[in-house]
Amino acid sequence: NLNESIRRSRGEFIAVLGADDLWEENKLSRQLNFMNDENVVCSNGIVIDAVDKIFLPSVLHFRNKKYIDIEDLFIENCILASSILARKYVLTDCLMFDEEIGNRSEDYALWFRIAHKYRIRYIDEKLVRYRVHGNNLSLRSTGNKIEVHLRNLQLIEQNTLLHPELGIYAEKGKSQIYGKLSRLYYFENLLDSSLYWCKLLLRVDRPRFSLRFIKYLCFYIFLYIKKCIVPSRSKLNNHED
């Protein structure tokens, strides 16, 4: 149990490393250089496969950024759990990982709680290797992705109540999730659900009338035509009422 391990730890700092992930040799030393002035530090990373081949050369794409703000978290979960180095009292003060939330969202909830109280220093160096392989691909299945996106959407909405002045960033984050959900439901041939989330995206993005808006408008038209030709087997879930 991760929280129990944090409680039992005696050191000043806590660093988390996923079972399949790797740290670069200088990961801790680089981050410790910043801890005289900071309470929480995180970094960039790369994605590797089962045989250590680089699958994605960079997870994050920030430029000239020193701190991860709540605004950034509203837009996406941009903190790699295995890259975190934090003072123990920060984690305990922010209630550690909420294990009742479920896999792959408990960290997102914690980053929000930390960002409410502390600044999060970002080091734009690839100090972590996040591994994707056959044993954890189930976590990336369509059903699991949908579940995670729905949880993350709920987290964004909850934190918007605490920071209504940051609503514009929350809308951007929700729009990203709407698009992902629309595509995922389409892959599952749940056309009603796909149309629902696509329509929400269009409502949010309409004022900007961006290239992305046009792309999803075309997608919506495609979905509607397909629904008329091939009846969907989907029923809207309770969260779509």
Side-chain angles (χ1 to χ4, degrees):
N1 182 288
L2 181 55
N3 285 341
E4 185 62 25
S5 298
I6 293 173
R7 293 188 190 96
R8 291 174 176 267
S9 65
R10 299 180 180 180
E12 180 182 359
F13 303 109
I14 299 292
V16 178
L17 178 62
D20 300 312
D21 302 340
L22 299 172
W23 287 340
E24 299 296 343
E25 291 185 1
N26 64 334
K27 188 265 188 188
L28 291 177
S29 61
R30 284 291 296 134
Q31 292 183 327
L32 283 170
N33 289 336
F34 292 84
M35 295 307 285
N36 287 333
D37 303 312
E38 308 294 346
N39 292 304
V40 186
V41 175
C42 65
S43 74
N44 198 352
I46 63 175
V47 180
I48 59 175
D49 63 14
V51 294
D52 294 340
K53 183 178 179 180
I54 295 178
F55 183 75
L56 189 66
S58 181
V59 178
L60 303 174
H61 301 281
F62 291 126
R63 292 183 179 180
N64 302 319
K65 190 168 190 62
K66 291 185 177 181
Y67 293 94
I68 302 293
D69 305 313
I70 291 182
E71 293 93 325
D72 302 311
L73 291 173
F74 271 125
I75 296 174
E76 65 175 333
N77 182 359
C78 54
I79 297 179
L80 303 175
S82 288
S83 78
I84 280 285
L85 177 67
R87 297 184 188 277
K88 179 179 177 179
Y89 71 76
V90 171
L91 298 181
T92 55
D93 182 40
C94 295
L95 307 179
M96 296 183 284
F97 294 91
D98 187 349
E99 296 170 343
E100 294 184 0
I101 291 180
N103 186 44
R104 302 183 70 81
S105 288
E106 70 274 12
D107 59 340
Y108 195 22
L110 177 58
W111 310 152
F112 269 117
R113 292 196 297 273
I114 291 176
H116 286 312
K117 293 186 175 183
Y118 304 93
R119 64 183 187 180
I120 303 174
R121 185 67 158 88
Y122 173 69
I123 305 174
D124 192 14
E125 298 178 23
K126 300 164 187 175
L127 302 177
V128 175
R129 298 191 175 205
Y130 173 73
R131 190 185 303 278
V132 175
H133 57 73
N135 291 334
N136 65 12
L137 280 177
S138 61
L139 298 177
R140 303 172 65 84
S141 67
T142 301
N144 182 268
K145 288 179 181 179
I146 289 174
E147 185 179 355
V148 170
H149 289 319
L150 290 173
R151 289 200 208 102
N152 290 349
L153 183 61
Q154 186 178 35
L155 288 172
I156 290 174
E157 292 172 343
Q158 291 171 348
N159 282 276
T160 303
L161 297 177
L162 299 175
H163 292 277
E165 74 281 4
L166 300 178
I168 184 173
Y169 299 100
E171 290 299 302
K172 289 182 180 179
K174 289 193 289 186
S175 175
Q176 295 289 336
I177 294 176
Y178 294 159
K180 293 174 182 177
L181 286 170
S182 181
R183 296 195 303 273
L184 288 169
Y185 277 116
Y186 171 72
F187 293 144
E188 292 291 286
N189 197 31
L190 301 174
L191 299 185
D192 286 341
S193 296
S194 183
L195 276 164
Y196 172 83
W197 293 107
C198 189
K199 186 175 182 179
L200 287 183
L201 182 151
L202 294 175
R203 287 177 179 175
V204 173
D205 285 12
R206 182 177 179 182
R208 291 188 284 272
F209 204 78
S210 62
L211 181 61
R212 182 170 182 268
F213 174 86
I214 297 174
K215 181 181 75 172
Y216 275 98
L217 178 60
C218 294
F219 184 52
Y220 183 86
I221 295 172
F222 163 77
L223 289 171
Y224 187 80
I225 294 174
K226 184 171 183 179
K227 178 188 174 183
C228 293
I229 297 175
V230 182
S232 172
R233 63 181 174 85
S234 73
K235 297 292 184 181
L236 289 179
N237 298 324
N238 292 333
H239 60 268
E240 297 167 2
D241 292 337

